[in-house]
Amino acid sequence: QVQLVESGGGLVQAGGSLRLSCAASGRTFSSYAMGWFRQAPGKEREFVAAISWRGGSTSYADSVKGRFTISRDNAKNTVYLQMNSLKREDTAVYYCAANPLRFSATMNPNEYDYWGQGTQVTVSS
């Protein structure tokens, strides 16, 4: 079992940056691929980024490529999402998730077994 707690959300102006963190409990964190998803008001949850268990493979949604970077520190049981050049359309609740298919930096939410409670990111113009 993995418990996930996101932090780092907040209010930022368009063009600004934020770094989200997701702290995982348990000693098996390094066995999981990790992902970030987001959900804006009135919209479905969507994939943002994912990273394989050792960080050798990453994937990004087209909407965030070149602006967001996912990384992980297995010694700290933490995955990060560095978000630069933020836009109003990035406003959403951001969730991290754990996928037991360690090699898979997948965008399919059905492959993720554990989810955090989310952190709000609001981008103002």
Side-chain angles (χ1 to χ4, degrees):
Q1 184 114 8
V2 177
Q3 292 185 324
L4 305 172
V5 179
E6 302 95 336
S7 61
L11 175 64
V12 64
Q13 286 191 329
S17 297
L18 281 175
R19 187 175 82 155
L20 305 183
S21 298
C22 173
S25 64
R27 291 177 288 181
T28 59
F29 171 76
S30 60
S31 299
Y32 290 83
M34 298 296 296
W36 286 96
F37 293 78
R38 68 187 181 186
Q39 187 167 19
K43 295 188 176 181
E44 292 187 354
R45 189 172 297 188
E46 65 173 359
F47 170 76
V48 176
I51 187 167
S52 60
W53 67 314
R54 289 183 175 178
S57 177
T58 58
S59 60
Y60 296 91
D62 287 343
S63 59
V64 307
K65 273 181 186 175
R67 300 188 298 121
F68 290 12
T69 302
I70 188 171
S71 61
R72 66 189 297 161
D73 185 338
N74 287 343
K76 295 182 178 180
N77 281 10
T78 303
V79 63
Y80 304 97
L81 185 68
Q82 177 67 43
M83 306 186 295
N84 298 329
S85 302
L86 282 160
K87 305 175 181 180
R88 287 193 65 184
E89 51 264 42
D90 294 318
T91 295
V93 177
Y94 283 71
Y95 300 89
C96 70
N99 171 12
L101 301 176
R102 64 178 73 179
F103 299 109
S104 176
T106 180
M107 61 179 65
N108 182 355
N110 295 324
E111 295 190 17
Y112 291 82
D113 286 355
Y114 303 103
W115 294 81
Q117 292 300 305
T119 185
Q120 176 71 46
V121 172
T122 303
V123 184
S124 65
S125 59

